[in-house]
Amino acid sequence: MSIHKTKFGTYEVRWRLNGKQKAKGFKKKIDAEKFEAGLTLDIVPDESKTTFEELAQIWLDDYALVHKSPSAIIRDKQILRDYLLPDLGKIKLSQIQPKHIVEIQSKLHKRGILKPKSINNITGLCHKIFSDGIYWGYLKTNPAVLVKPIKLTGVDYNWWTFDERDKFLAYAKMHNYRVYRVVCFAVNTGLRRGEVEGLLRDCLDFHRREIVVKRNFCHKTMVLNEYTKSKQIRRVPMNSDVYDLLLEYQGYDPKQRIFKEEFQNFCIDRFYPTQGKAGVQRITFHDLRHTFASMLAMSGLSVFDIQMLLGHSDLKTTMRYMHLAPGHLRGKTDVLIRTQTEKNFASELCHYSDDQVQKAAIRESHESTLEAHGHATVL
């Protein structure tokens, strides 16, 4: 059950009755909310009759289509189809126990095909559907709450050094300029691949020398979305290499795609072969983003500046690059080093009895207090 704003500016209440989708339109949102409240009182879902498959379809229709991106919906449908519905689909909500979800988790882990993070995404989707089902009144408890996620180990990433970057760009500029344009732009801006492909002329601010990142091209739907992965608009400065590279587009139509043709079979046919010919470490396109962030960290930029340039929602994601920052932990263990006076004092204590140790400690404390107040020690 949910309220949707239509493209005509009206509001539509959608709900299910006996497994069938119902809808009613209203001009004012307050009228739609009153009607929805009345439905809540009259319609109490029966968890003894509703199956997980039915709840999952309701979740896709009433939540996912409203709040999630098309590519995320495709992924969720695939997870439901391949991993959750075969085991849970026909089971009534009242009969689903934590053990059912644990068995799915265990089975996927034993197969060894999926990575732990992917398995956690599957059980996480199950948890989300049950959680929303409780909010909508379809069940009282969430059986996925007691399912412990698989603990993830740290995942390393590949990136080019400054020398490798320069070596590749020098070779590509001479032998394959299309590859050079894309890689030079990506490694100097840190944009995601979808953001690079979705870049239009109207996002290039030559006056301020900035790139406005606000679109994303989705490969699953082949649609240019008017939002980024984080749903936030950010501005990335153009350095001199990027500015010179994009200057030819200054007079183009505002809706002109900048890198449309370059991305046709880009990685397999162009990017990877060029890496081999240039004699550099093979990396993926997304690793260019890692290279961008790593170079910023090695150049001494703060973690907050790097976060803003990359568009990370969570600072933890950015922190994985900070081990490359010059001297970021230098001197942090100096607190463990004692002065020579402290070492001598500790050495002397080894020759004293317990009473003598206590008296020496009191005397040391007394002398430190006097010195702090500018008084000479009285012998």
Side-chain angles (χ1 to χ4, degrees), residues 84-115:
L84 295 179
L85 293 183
D87 293 320
L88 299 177
K90 303 303 179 183
I91 304 179
K92 301 292 190 294
L93 296 178
S94 59
Q95 298 174 344
I96 297 178
Q97 301 295 323
K99 68 175 184 178
H100 291 106
I101 306 166
V102 171
E103 288 171 356
I104 294 175
Q105 184 188 60
S106 176
K107 180 173 64 176
L108 294 175
H109 186 264
K110 288 177 181 178
R111 285 181 185 175
I113 300 175
L114 298 179
K115 295 180 179 179

Side-chain angles (χ1 to χ4, degrees), residues 96-299:
I96 297 178
Q97 301 295 323
K99 68 175 184 178
H100 291 106
I101 306 166
V102 171
E103 288 171 356
I104 294 175
Q105 184 188 60
S106 176
K107 180 173 64 176
L108 294 175
H109 186 264
K110 288 177 181 178
R111 285 181 185 175
I113 300 175
L114 298 179
K115 295 180 179 179
K117 186 177 186 301
S118 298
I119 299 175
N120 286 346
N121 290 339
I122 294 170
T123 55
L125 176 61
C126 192
H127 183 287
K128 174 62 177 174
I129 293 174
F130 283 130
S131 179
D132 289 339
I134 293 174
Y135 178 74
W136 297 331
Y138 283 92
L139 67 167
K140 296 180 177 64
T141 59
N142 187 341
V145 167
L146 299 178
V147 179
K148 186 177 180 180
I150 301 174
K151 189 173 182 179
L152 304 179
T153 57
V155 180
D156 202 2
Y157 57 89
N158 293 323
W159 51 281
W160 279 340
T161 63
F162 284 95
D163 290 339
E164 287 178 307
R165 178 202 64 179
D166 295 342
K167 185 177 180 181
F168 178 89
L169 292 178
Y171 179 88
K173 190 173 185 178
M174 183 179 298
H175 296 89
N176 196 327
Y177 192 72
R178 281 191 172 183
V179 173
Y180 167 79
R181 291 177 69 252
V182 175
V183 176
C184 180
F185 178 84
V187 81
N188 281 287
T189 60
L191 269 64
R192 302 177 178 92
R193 174 167 177 165
E195 294 170 345
V196 177
E197 290 193 66
L199 190 68
L200 304 186
R201 165 61 186 88
D202 64 355
C203 292
L204 306 181
D205 189 340
F206 289 99
H207 178 68
R208 294 185 176 89
R209 290 199 171 205
E210 290 180 335
I211 300 165
V212 183
V213 187
K214 60 180 180 180
R215 296 187 181 93
N216 175 64
F217 183 81
C218 177
H219 280 271
K220 292 182 179 179
T221 60
M222 300 303 290
V223 172
L224 180 62
N225 299 312
E226 293 293 326
Y227 50 81
T228 63
K229 180 181 178 180
S230 62
K231 303 296 189 298
Q232 300 293 324
I233 297 175
R234 70 183 190 277
R235 291 178 175 270
V236 178
M238 298 182 192
N239 61 20
S240 58
D241 286 347
V242 173
Y243 182 82
D244 294 340
L245 191 71
L246 299 176
L247 200 56
E248 63 180 280
Y249 293 97
Q250 195 165 12
Y252 275 50
D253 182 83
K255 296 303 178 183
Q256 173 73 35
R257 289 267 296 275
I258 303 300
F259 297 106
K260 182 178 181 180
E261 296 181 357
E262 283 83 348
F263 273 99
Q264 295 177 2
N265 302 320
F266 177 75
C267 286
I268 295 177
D269 293 347
R270 300 177 185 177
F271 186 39
Y272 297 150
T274 306
Q275 292 180 52
K277 294 175 182 178
V280 298
Q281 173 193 183
R282 176 167 172 170
I283 63 174
T284 66
F285 190 89
H286 192 74
D287 289 334
L288 294 174
R289 181 171 163 87
H290 294 318
T291 299
F292 171 78
S294 300
M295 289 180 174
L296 293 180
M298 287 188 289
S299 299

